[in-house]
Amino acid sequence: AQGLFRLNEATFSLLRSGGELAAKDGAKLGAILKNGHVIAQARFIPVSVTATAAIAAIGPAVAMIALQMQLGEISSLVRTSIALTTQTLKAIRNEQWSELESLVDSIDDASQKVREIGAITDTLWESIAPMGQSIRKQIGLYRKNVTGHIQEIRKSGGHARRQYLESNAEAIVFDTYALLTSLKTHATYQALRAARARKRSETDENEAKLFEIITRDTPPEIEESLEEIGQLNESLVRELRIIAELPGRATMPLTKKHRDAKAAKLTCAQLLEAIEPLADVLHPAVDTPAVPETVCAPDGLDLDPYLRVLRWFLEDGEQLHGIAFPYEASTHNFSRKLLSKPVDAAWQAGKVAFSTFIAVTDRRIITANPRKLLRHGELGATYPLDDVKDVHLRTGNTDHVCPLIEVTTKQSDIRWMFPARADQTSIEDLATTMDDLASVIAEGASGHAETRAAIASSATETASS
């Protein structure tokens, strides 16, 4: 901090009364103008600021700015999800909402008055000081609810997970929004409390310590809750988006459980309309992946329905490399020749009734029953590429012998059988497609293994040095 000057009190008074410093070439001049006339010359006092003094002066301001920025972020999220405050959702837990709403109104009113006055007075602070414990109670309640939802989602899988989300979708939405609202109120309260402590710290060293504690502890506390909201919102919205892709499900009530006559049964489409704006901020919707270069499917099969559902299961940054519809042969009852007829018949008819849906990404192999994937949005087994040990392609040189991809993983051996084609060209094209698919799996597994080896080697070298 060098070359600093401050204006003396007389100059400040002139500027506050409507005077302006003259300017030229983007720099302020010493003349003070009012109504087009020079009324005085500004007085500048040199300021000597040491590094310690600068840090002492700027540090608290930066801490307050950080708190205000976080409050602004939460306020923006609350405004984004304003659709959740409709009577339809508030009716679910009307009594709980009324208690929270009362606290929100009181803190917001005090915050508005502080902005108008430019300071937090003792009278204003005393009117809201007792509410701190009630606000924490609200945060504790809704954090507990949100954490409970997350735990239930994580410990269940497949159909049970979907059932839980469908049955509790309204409660999840309410608890998420209530936690977000209580966080905003808590952040506002703590900002006012910090401002008061900062003002009183000029004469009380303990107030300065309290200011430091508030600005140190509040941001990470809020950030942790926001992360939980993001996790829960992502899980719910992903499932709702999958349901919305299923035939006729978007406009059906999410649950058949008996509800109070006054409470509306919300549909998947209604809930998505209410919470998607918030979801898009926390976790933007992903685009439907393009049809990959490696595809092994019956001619004329429309892949778009499969891709629209599959996209909600893909992780951030996960790339789709191949899709196939083989027949998964049983280990105990396996004959490439005997099974070729039903596989060929289904394939020639453009059907996938006998097939398994396979999606190969740069991270894993995803499988599903095609019918369950499209009707219920359910996946089958998934195999991380790290677990893939060997991939073998076997093609038949005689009629009615199905080409085969054998995949050996750490847990199991998988046989994916494809139809034998009468036309030699078609068989060759199919073999090429299967070879490409096998390469994607093998290259992916090899890439993961090389990465692990490089990391292990680096760690060994570091330890040795």
Side-chain angles (χ1 to χ4, degrees), residues 90 164 183 235 240 294 314 326 331 341 374 376 385 388 404 407 410 413 435 454 458:
K90 286 195 289 187
Y164 178 83
L183 276 177
S235 296
L240 289 176
T294 303
L314 297 179
T331 304
K341 290 184 178 180
L374 295 185
H376 306 291
L385 292 183
V388 175
L404 180 74
V407 179
K410 292 178 181 178
D413 295 331
D435 187 47
S458 175

Side-chain angles (χ1 to χ4, degrees), residues 225-402:
S225 291
L226 284 177
E227 187 176 338
E228 290 173 348
I229 289 173
Q231 291 174 14
L232 182 59
N233 193 269
E234 180 185 350
S235 296
L236 175 62
V237 172
R238 181 177 62 247
E239 294 297 334
L240 289 176
R241 283 168 172 164
I242 291 171
I243 294 169
E245 296 288 355
L246 308 181
R249 292 295 305 278
T251 55
M252 291 175 59
L254 283 173
T255 176
K256 297 179 180 180
K257 288 186 177 181
H258 177 72
R259 295 289 180 86
D260 186 277
K262 296 180 181 179
K265 290 183 179 180
L266 297 184
T267 67
C268 169
Q270 288 172 319
L271 270 179
L272 274 176
E273 183 180 0
I275 64 177
E276 268 193 315
L278 176 61
D280 288 338
V281 173
L282 295 172
H283 195 273
V286 296
D287 295 329
T288 301
V291 176
E293 291 184 6
T294 303
V295 174
C296 195
D299 294 337
L301 181 66
D302 184 10
L303 296 177
D304 190 59
Y306 297 93
L307 294 173
R308 287 205 312 269
V309 176
L310 177 65
R311 62 174 165 162
W312 303 119
F313 291 103
L314 297 179
E315 300 168 351
D316 288 343
E318 189 171 11
Q319 300 295 317
L320 180 63
H321 286 288
I323 288 178
F325 290 86
Y327 176 90
E328 186 162 346
S330 168
T331 304
H332 303 291
N333 184 18
F334 168 62
S335 169
R336 292 169 63 194
K337 188 170 183 178
L338 293 176
L339 290 173
S340 65
K341 290 184 178 180
V343 174
D344 278 339
W347 191 281
Q348 293 285 9
K351 298 177 181 179
V352 291
F354 291 95
S355 303
T356 296
F357 170 81
I358 299 174
V360 181
T361 76
D362 57 344
R363 302 177 189 178
R364 54 187 172 151
I365 303 169
I366 301 170
T367 72
N369 177 298
R371 182 172 296 179
K372 288 184 178 180
L373 180 66
L374 295 185
R375 292 189 179 182
H376 306 291
E378 294 180 7
L379 293 184
T382 61
Y383 306 95
L385 292 183
D386 281 349
D387 289 350
V388 175
K389 298 171 67 176
D390 293 297
V391 178
H392 296 290
L393 173 63
R394 301 177 186 274
T395 55
N397 297 321
T398 58
D399 292 343
H400 307 301
V401 176
C402 291

Side-chain angles (χ1 to χ4, degrees), residues 1 10 44 94 104 106 125 179 213 259 276 314 325 332 341 353 366 371 406 408 410 445 450:
F44 297 95
N94 196 51
V104 171
S106 298
W125 175 248
L179 178 56
I213 292 171
R259 295 289 180 86
E276 268 193 315
L314 297 179
F325 290 86
H332 303 291
K341 290 184 178 180
I366 301 170
R371 182 172 296 179
E406 293 180 320
T408 303
K410 292 178 181 178
E450 289 173 6

